[in-house]
Amino acid sequence: MKSGDTDQPAGMPVTTPDGSRRNLQEHGDGVSRLSARTKNFYPQTKQMMEAVVERKNMIVALRRVEANKGSAGIDGMSVESLRPYLREHWPRIKEALLSGRYTPSPVRRVEIPKPSGKGMRQLGIPTVVDRLIQQALHQVMHPVFDPNFSESSYGYRPGRSAHQALLAARAHVASGRRWVVDIDLEKFFDRVNHDVLMARVARKVEDKRVLGLIRRYLRAGVMDGGIVSQRIEGTAQGGPLSPLLSNILLDDLDKELERRGHTFCRYADDCNIYVRSKRAGQRVLVSIAQFLTRRLKLKVNQSKSAVERPWNLTFLGYSMTFHRQPRLKVAAASVERLKAKLRVVFRMGRGWSLHKLVESLASLLRGWVNYFRLAEVKGIFEDLDSWIRRKLRCILWRQWKRPFTRAKHLMQRGLESRCAWGAATNGRGRWFNAGAYHMHVCYPKRYFDTVGLVSLRDYLRFLQRTM
């Protein structure tokens, strides 16, 4: 990507290393079809850095970074400013990469709430230039490592998903393995041993420039409150390379479980092993914890790890029933997390029109149902629909404020005068009235359907019909 070069538009024919002409298209996780086709063109040699900085690879990486957007790193450079910056500075960056002298910038520390709602998760946001280089590294390294990953590993891999992991877990339980060893790695991304990880990377990467660059990324400082602190262990979540590095490290765990003949599902650092008895599960938990500590220098959180029935556990937001042929269902914790998000929107929308409030809920509700579309126990969707409609009726009652206004709106919706005035002056609270007969009659489900409210139950039916 030399200074002054113009980008090639998506779909433009390019010449591949085998001499054929192909369209340059992006792959789902940032690995282009071109990169996938050339995984044998750049074998495990000492020239991997040339593949990283190769123009076509960098163009795909640039488009991927631009598509992902994201916030700025410590230098404040936005994704929109990246392309003009590269036109001027790419020759210098490329030369530094090829000579092994490139030094990554520290990452910017950001804290976000954990999905469980307990505690905060620390992210490290690289600069956009470092995100570009990490993405380019990922695209070249991924075809080298991924083909040898376990079939039971589902996280951060193209063509694999959390849904596939859940279906496999259900099949394992249906086969008679009705005890689960739930292994929780304590602060996994914060505790990764750099030497152990680099030893695994070096098994297939011979280019010392690439190895040195990855190690420098691992050791890049973290800026928090204007102060940079050095990192001697862990890998920052937030960069494109971190998911691949986590899979490279935990592939040793997968291979050990396969060697022992265990049935398991792993999604990132969330690993469940399926066994036929509690005693067997307890033995497995002890031995695997020892393996992780000795071989990978990782610590198992004993207070959160357990040998338990699958219907008493949550895996990737789901649980399952106790039947011989178990059915997937939404875990109770996932329902509470959705309600917490919705309460935030409801608080923000107290002064909005109902149409605007319903519109603001649409993407959140559709995204939630899309993820939980495998659920076979559907009662919770109906319960949530009823709860959401009651919250909206509550907001309407709150907006009306005075008895006269409340009676007027109820009569406009068809309630006869005596009932409307009785409801408007009953002295009960908003939540009571939102669930009372008069609000149900005036604002039934069909009314909310007409204003565009997404019905979780109806949308689930639609998705399951099209699966």
Side-chain angles (χ1 to χ4, degrees):
M1 195 182 303
K2 296 180 181 179
S3 177
D5 284 345
T6 58
D7 193 4
Q8 300 182 46
M12 177 177 178
V14 295
T15 303
T16 57
D18 62 2
S20 61
R21 305 269 293 173
R22 292 290 184 267
N23 285 342
L24 185 60
Q25 300 288 348
E26 290 185 15
H27 192 284
D29 80 329
V31 181
S32 68
R33 293 181 184 177
L34 176 63
S35 297
R37 285 179 56 82
T38 60
K39 63 184 179 182
N40 294 322
F41 179 72
Y42 295 118
Q44 302 154 26
T45 69
K46 298 180 180 179
Q47 303 301 314
M48 185 175 280
M49 186 60 80
E50 277 71 16
V52 172
V53 301
E54 193 260 345
R55 186 174 188 272
K56 299 180 185 69
N57 185 59
M58 294 303 302
I59 288 174
V60 175
L62 176 60
R63 290 176 178 162
R64 186 64 182 177
V65 170
E66 289 176 332
N68 287 338
K69 299 182 179 180
S71 57
I74 63 169
D75 60 356
M77 185 189 299
S78 65
V79 173
E80 292 75 19
S81 304
L82 177 58
R83 195 177 289 251
Y85 178 86
L86 291 174
R87 289 194 182 101
E88 180 178 353
H89 297 281
W90 173 245
R92 173 181 57 80
I93 297 171
K94 179 178 179 180
E95 193 279 328
L97 289 167
L98 289 173
S99 63
R101 293 184 291 104
Y102 181 82
T103 301
S105 301
V107 298
R108 179 170 62 88
R109 175 169 290 169
V110 175
E111 291 187 342
I112 61 172
K114 290 185 177 180
S116 63
K118 299 178 181 178
M120 304 294 288
R121 174 170 290 164
Q122 293 186 352
L123 299 182
I125 308 301
T127 64
V128 289
V129 173
D130 283 329
R131 289 211 293 274
L132 173 70
I133 296 170
Q134 286 192 35
Q135 180 64 36
L137 274 170
H138 181 278
Q139 290 168 186
V140 173
M141 291 174 59
H142 180 272
V144 174
F145 286 93
D146 188 80
N148 294 319
F149 285 157
S150 169
E151 288 297 312
S152 298
S153 168
Y154 296 91
Y156 308 132
R157 300 181 64 189
R160 288 176 169 265
S161 66
H163 286 168
Q164 291 175 329
L166 289 159
L167 293 174
R170 184 184 63 179
H172 297 330
V173 176
S175 71
R177 296 174 174 86
R178 297 172 69 83
W179 287 91
V180 182
V181 182
D182 183 18
I183 296 178
D184 183 89
L185 295 175
E186 186 173 301
K187 296 182 179 179
F188 169 71
F189 284 95
D190 297 332
R191 297 285 176 84
V192 169
N193 183 286
H194 292 173
D195 292 334
V196 173
L197 173 58
M198 291 307 303
R200 272 73 188 160
V201 175
R203 290 172 181 172
K204 295 188 177 182
V205 176
E206 299 181 35
D207 193 325
K208 295 188 183 301
R209 296 166 299 177
V210 172
L211 294 173
L213 179 60
I214 294 173
R215 186 176 284 275
R216 289 193 292 276
Y217 272 120
L218 291 173
R219 291 186 173 177
V222 179
M223 178 173 285
D224 189 11
I227 301 174
V228 176
S229 57
Q230 296 302 311
R231 188 169 55 218
I232 60 174
E233 64 177 0
T235 173
Q237 291 178 267
L241 200 55
S242 293
L244 177 61
L245 294 179
S246 69
N247 273 335
I248 291 172
L249 179 62
L250 291 176
D251 187 56
D252 272 25
L253 171 61
D254 299 341
K255 295 299 191 288
E256 178 67 14
L257 292 172
E258 290 175 343
R259 186 185 69 81
R260 298 184 185 189
H262 290 310
T263 300
F264 68 98
C265 290
R266 183 178 67 80
Y267 192 95
D269 59 332
D270 198 349
C271 183
N272 279 0
I273 307 167
Y274 299 86
V275 296
R276 296 184 184 274
S277 69
K278 185 175 183 177
R279 178 176 291 183
Q282 290 169 338
R283 288 197 303 267
V284 170
L285 178 57
V286 171
S287 62
I288 291 301
Q290 292 174 347
F291 169 83
L292 288 167
T293 301
R294 288 198 313 267
R295 187 75 64 85
L296 301 182
K297 309 300 181 187
L298 296 172
K299 185 177 180 181
V300 173
N301 189 330
Q302 297 294 342
S303 64
K304 294 184 179 179
S305 300
V307 179
E308 191 51 273
R309 295 290 196 180
W311 45 88
N312 294 329
L313 292 173
T314 298
F315 181 52
L316 300 178
Y318 283 75
S319 186
M320 60 181 74
T321 65
F322 58 83
H323 301 93
R324 188 172 296 277
Q325 294 295 322
R327 293 181 294 165
L328 292 172
K329 64 179 184 178
V330 182
S334 300
V335 175
E336 290 306 312
R337 284 198 291 272
L338 174 64
K339 284 186 173 182
K341 291 179 181 178
L342 291 173
R343 287 188 184 102
V344 173
V345 180
F346 291 142
R347 281 196 296 271
M348 291 171 55
R350 286 174 180 172
W352 297 351
S353 69
L354 187 63
H355 285 81
K356 181 180 178 181
L357 182 53
V358 165
E359 185 179 336
S360 70
L361 294 172
S363 60
L364 173 59
L365 296 177
R366 286 198 179 94
W368 193 83
V369 180
N370 263 304
Y371 181 75
F372 288 104
R373 67 181 182 270
L374 296 183
E376 299 161 285
V377 179
K378 301 178 175 63
I380 189 59
F381 292 86
E382 296 173 357
D383 293 343
L384 281 169
D385 275 336
S386 177
W387 181 82
I388 291 169
R389 289 194 294 268
R390 187 169 179 178
K391 292 291 285 188
L392 292 172
R393 294 186 190 107
C394 186
I395 289 174
L396 288 174
W397 193 262
R398 180 191 185 99
Q399 289 177 344
W400 295 338
K401 295 183 180 178
R402 296 186 301 159
F404 174 81
T405 308
R406 290 168 178 169
K408 181 184 74 172
H409 280 284
L410 292 175
M411 287 187 287
Q412 286 175 347
R413 293 293 303 167
L415 198 64
E416 66 100 11
S417 176
R418 184 176 59 84
C419 291
W421 278 104
T425 58
N426 63 18
R428 306 299 291 267
R430 293 184 295 272
W431 187 246
F432 171 86
N433 280 285
Y437 168 81
H438 51 271
M439 287 297 282
H440 273 273
V441 169
C442 294
Y443 295 91
K445 178 183 181 300
R446 64 178 176 272
Y447 169 81
F448 290 104
D449 290 341
T450 61
V451 298
L453 178 65
V454 176
S455 167
L456 302 180
R457 184 70 178 88
D458 294 347
Y459 192 50
L460 177 67
R461 285 174 177 164
F462 167 75
L463 290 177
Q464 291 185 338
R465 283 198 305 268
T466 57
M467 283 172 60

